[in-house]
Amino acid sequence: MVDDLLLSGNWIWILYACLGLLGIYVMSSALHFVVTYWGHKLGISIESDMRKKLFDRVQKLSFRFFDNNKTGHLVSRMTNDLMDIGEIAHHGPEDLFIAVMTLLGAFGIMLSINWKLAVLTFIIVPLMIYLSIYFSRKMSKAFKIMFADIADYIARVENNVSGIRVVQAFANEKHEINRFAGNNERFRLTKLLT
């Protein structure tokens, strides 16, 4: 457009090129809307189905399970964890497809311009993939710790609110405030590290 058409002054071809770019933009916007809308619906449906199955499963668990597990951990699993699964179901395949197509498209264009430079550039792709997997594993560990801290935080709030009469009856507010402050600080530090 800039190097050839504008210099030649061929306004008919310039107009066609602009209309072509406009058509590509409109088509891209329409496809983006479809992917966003239907992908969002898919993620919500998966999340809702899993939440229903998880709730049904919780209803059938033994008393021992509830004695050994904190309520906050269960609530966190049924809310935060399932929201993340829904987001992965929505954005995961889309982001993977876009990344692969961008990589292949860029490689194809670079091959057509200078194949030697393209091959040299793409030699580092395996290193980038290795680093991505390595840091992804580290992030997974950090997120696991963070979700455990979220669950502890929710458990602390839930236990305090549901037992507020007992706390106030024994004038135990200061002790509960200190315990909550510990949970809150641990959660803050975990969030800072992720």
Side-chain angles (χ1 to χ4, degrees):
M1 178 78 168
V2 174
D3 293 341
D4 297 329
L5 291 179
L6 284 178
L7 292 177
S8 69
N10 191 343
W11 291 104
I12 298 291
W13 280 103
I14 292 172
L15 180 63
Y16 286 149
C18 289
L19 289 174
L21 287 174
L22 179 64
I24 290 170
Y25 176 76
V26 168
M27 187 173 74
S28 173
S29 297
L31 291 174
H32 181 72
F33 170 77
V34 168
V35 167
T36 302
Y37 178 74
W38 289 106
H40 191 65
K41 282 185 76 170
L42 173 69
I44 290 171
S45 297
I46 290 171
E47 182 184 334
S48 296
D49 289 346
M50 290 182 72
R51 189 175 291 116
K52 181 188 179 313
K53 288 180 181 178
L54 183 59
F55 187 79
D56 292 347
R57 175 78 174 124
V58 166
Q59 298 304 304
K60 297 172 184 170
L61 293 172
S62 66
F63 292 132
R64 180 181 293 161
F65 176 83
F66 293 103
D67 291 339
N68 295 332
N69 291 283
K70 296 178 182 175
T71 305
H73 285 240
L74 296 174
V75 171
S76 178
R77 293 270 184 257
M78 295 177 77
T79 53
N80 297 331
D81 293 3
L82 288 179
M83 279 194 286
D84 290 335
I85 290 171
E87 285 298 309
I88 288 172
H90 172 209
H91 293 293
E94 170 191 348
D95 291 346
L96 181 65
F97 177 76
I98 289 171
V100 169
M101 294 309 291
T102 302
L103 189 66
L104 292 176
F107 186 62
I109 291 170
M110 290 173 69
L111 276 176
S112 69
I113 295 172
N114 187 335
W115 72 269
K116 292 176 185 174
L117 187 58
V119 170
L120 280 175
T121 303
F122 273 80
I123 285 175
I124 64 166
V125 168
L127 175 65
M128 292 170 57
I129 290 171
Y130 169 77
L131 289 175
S132 175
I133 291 170
Y134 174 77
F135 286 113
S136 175
R137 287 182 180 156
K138 286 184 112 19
M139 286 299 293
S140 294
K141 289 179 185 175
F143 277 121
K144 189 172 184 179
I145 293 168
M146 185 182 77
F147 288 140
D149 287 344
I150 289 172
D152 288 340
Y153 171 83
I154 291 171
R156 172 68 42 227
V157 171
E158 192 272 334
N159 288 339
N160 184 267
V161 171
S162 65
I164 194 69
R165 292 179 194 275
V166 175
V167 170
Q168 290 177 348
F170 288 97
N172 215 11
E173 294 93 340
K174 185 74 172 169
H175 176 70
E176 289 297 323
I177 289 170
N178 289 337
R179 289 177 70 185
F180 176 79
N183 282 109
N184 196 31
E185 181 62 16
R186 195 168 69 241
F187 179 51
R188 185 183 76 83
L189 292 173
T190 305
K191 289 277 283 187
L192 286 173
L193 294 175
T194 53

